[in-house]
Amino acid sequence: MHAFKFENYTHVNFNMDILKAKLVWVDGRCYRQLPLRETSHADHDNQIVQPVTSISHRDEDYENTDLPVKHRGDVFFYVFVIPKDFVKYVVGAKAAKKKQIEESTSTVLEIPKPTDLKNTDEADITIIGKSIGSVVRSYERVRRLVDDMRWRTMEFTHFISIPMNDQNIQEKFLHFKNDVLRTCKGSQGIDDNIFVSPAKLHLTIAMLTLLTNQEKEKATSILQNCKNYILNLLSGKPLNIEVKGVEYMNDEPEEVTVLYGKVKETKSNCLQLIANKLLEEFEQSPLGRRATYDDPSNVKLHVTLMKAKTGARGYRETFDASQILEKYADYSFGETTVSEIHISVRFNAGKNYYQSIHVLEL
């Protein structure tokens, strides 16, 4: 983290002359009286007036903020880290967004230059203002902008997963695969390439976008902090689940994009509660998001078995699963005991499973 040079900001104006302008009354209306900026045609003694707006910011609204704003003399400042990929959005074209935030919050943003970010994945942002409230308002503007651009511009990089690839399930999955290829090979889109690798069978709890080492550490901490909740919920009992039957994501069985195995617990509802809790914690972070197929109340517990290929233009192709749905409606892929929850790296599967940055052992 770069050093904050306080002495550079001891004489910053912060537009306080505008915020505390003299008020004058003309024909029953109240106006701000502001100094006229110097131009080649302006007399230094000339002044203009501007109508008072009804909107005002009360710094006392932020006195109880949890943000650890520091101060020295009458200057307040706060330093925080964002992924360097978002610096361009905070600055904006020709620094327009940066200026907009500064002017609307009466603060100064100190942002590293691109040349200073070549060997790092993070950028330190320093906000300097004349009050706690101005610093907090500026921080909230930047934070909301970064959160918004995270989901609008960035791909998911990781996901919370539960491995479902023990030997018993893999063997039954391979039997299912071979039988489908033998008996349904005439169905549209059915071929070997749309089946998931047996070693990668898993439950997905939440999708994550982790762009820096700091965000990876935060995600690890969130998952680890859920351990007591999970253990208390299980009360020393094993979390046994079964994968039985098949279902599909979209509306038409003849045009399926994803076919999955249905997951159910053998003796309790703990898995659903655990999945919902994990998703809730990561959504609040806000490093994670629910998958598009989840309903608002519950994580969709499923194990993807077959996934249609992506076409040349990026469109997902489909396959005809009508025969599979009928034949394997009650097929059991086996039972397993959940013993681990992973933060897995997308598109980075090893020989036995996806590479993980953290494993929570139960």
Side-chain angles (χ1 to χ4, degrees):
M1 183 176 291
H2 72 280
F4 167 59
K5 298 180 180 179
F6 171 82
E7 60 272 15
N8 292 343
Y9 301 96
T10 55
H11 302 293
V12 174
N13 189 340
F14 298 104
N15 291 326
M16 296 307 289
D17 56 332
I18 296 176
L19 295 178
K20 297 182 179 180
K22 180 181 177 181
L23 302 181
V24 296
W25 290 86
V26 179
D27 295 331
R29 297 185 65 185
C30 187
Y31 295 84
R32 294 186 193 275
Q33 183 172 293
L34 304 177
L36 186 66
R37 290 185 179 180
E38 181 178 351
T39 68
S40 58
H41 303 288
D43 185 331
H44 290 190
D45 294 329
N46 288 342
Q47 292 181 318
I48 61 173
V49 292
Q50 186 181 77
V52 176
T53 62
S54 60
I55 300 175
S56 63
H57 294 295
R58 293 168 53 86
D59 286 343
E60 52 265 35
D61 293 340
Y62 296 91
E63 289 300 320
N64 295 322
T65 179
D66 293 329
L67 202 67
V69 178
K70 298 180 180 180
H71 73 93
R72 185 172 178 182
D74 60 353
V75 174
F76 294 81
F77 62 95
Y78 178 61
V79 183
F80 62 104
V81 176
I82 67 172
K84 74 172 183 180
D85 294 330
F86 297 121
V87 168
K88 59 185 177 183
Y89 300 114
V90 177
V91 175
K94 298 182 179 180
K97 176 59 69 173
K98 176 177 178 289
K99 292 177 182 177
Q100 182 187 64
I101 295 173
E102 290 176 329
E103 292 176 359
S104 65
T105 60
S106 297
T107 57
V108 172
L109 298 182
E110 185 184 79
I111 300 175
K113 297 178 181 179
T115 53
D116 297 329
L117 300 174
K118 289 184 178 180
N119 299 318
T120 181
D121 57 7
E122 301 173 341
D124 297 336
I125 307 295
T126 303
I127 301 176
I128 308 99
K130 280 287 188 178
S131 69
I132 294 176
S134 62
V135 172
V136 173
R137 284 192 296 273
S138 184
Y139 167 75
E140 290 296 336
R141 288 284 301 275
V142 175
R143 182 188 61 80
R144 286 194 296 268
L145 175 62
V146 169
D147 289 348
D148 181 50
M149 298 312 296
R150 177 186 297 275
W151 304 122
R152 287 175 56 187
T153 64
M154 298 295 168
E155 297 285 343
F156 293 120
T157 60
H158 299 73
F159 59 101
I160 304 299
S161 74
I162 297 176
M164 299 293 292
N165 60 348
D166 65 16
Q167 191 64 32
N168 176 47
I169 291 179
Q170 286 197 53
E171 289 176 358
K172 291 191 174 183
F173 170 74
L174 286 173
H175 173 78
F176 161 81
K177 174 183 175 179
N178 293 332
D179 194 53
V180 168
L181 290 174
R182 180 176 56 84
T183 61
C184 304
K185 61 182 179 181
S187 298
Q188 180 264 326
I190 300 293
D191 63 44
D192 182 78
N193 294 326
I194 67 174
F195 288 86
V196 173
S197 167
K200 295 166 64 176
L201 292 169
H202 67 276
L203 278 170
T204 298
I205 305 301
M207 303 302 298
L208 311 178
T209 300
L210 309 178
L211 302 175
T212 68
N213 289 330
Q214 186 181 80
E215 290 185 347
K216 293 173 185 177
E217 292 171 1
K218 183 177 180 180
T220 295
S221 177
I222 292 171
L223 180 58
Q224 197 64 39
N225 288 340
C226 291
K227 184 172 184 176
N228 286 339
Y229 170 86
I230 296 172
L231 294 181
N232 289 336
L233 194 63
L234 295 177
S235 300
K237 299 177 182 177
L239 181 54
N240 298 321
I241 60 177
E242 180 184 13
V243 182
K244 184 176 182 180
V246 293
E247 191 55 86
Y248 60 103
M249 291 292 186
N250 48 308
D251 296 330
E252 300 296 333
E254 295 83 9
E255 297 182 347
V256 171
T257 56
V258 174
L259 184 118
Y260 61 88
K262 295 186 287 186
V263 176
K264 66 176 184 178
E265 294 180 64
T266 56
K267 295 182 180 180
S268 69
N269 190 43
C270 290
L271 180 60
Q272 187 68 69
L273 295 175
I274 291 169
N276 291 349
K277 174 66 173 178
L278 290 172
L279 176 59
E280 177 186 355
E281 293 296 322
F282 277 95
E283 278 191 315
Q284 291 176 357
S285 60
L287 301 175
R289 271 198 169 184
R290 68 178 62 241
T292 54
Y293 45 71
D294 287 335
D295 67 47
S297 302
N298 291 309
V299 174
K300 189 178 187 67
L301 301 177
H302 71 285
V303 178
T304 298
L305 306 172
M306 302 168 67
K307 183 183 294 186
K309 294 176 289 187
T310 301
R313 295 186 177 182
Y315 296 105
R316 181 65 63 85
E317 298 178 356
T318 63
F319 58 92
D320 183 354
S322 52
Q323 285 185 264
I324 303 173
L325 291 165
E326 181 178 354
K327 184 174 182 179
Y328 294 94
D330 295 314
Y331 180 80
S332 177
F333 292 87
E335 297 184 12
T336 188
T337 299
V338 176
S339 59
E340 297 177 342
I341 302 175
H342 293 222
I343 301 179
S344 302
V345 182
R346 288 190 77 197
F347 312 121
N348 197 341
K351 182 178 180 180
N352 298 318
Y353 192 59
Y354 290 93
Q355 179 183 342
S356 299
I357 64 171
H358 183 68
V359 176
L360 176 65
E361 297 182 356
L362 303 179

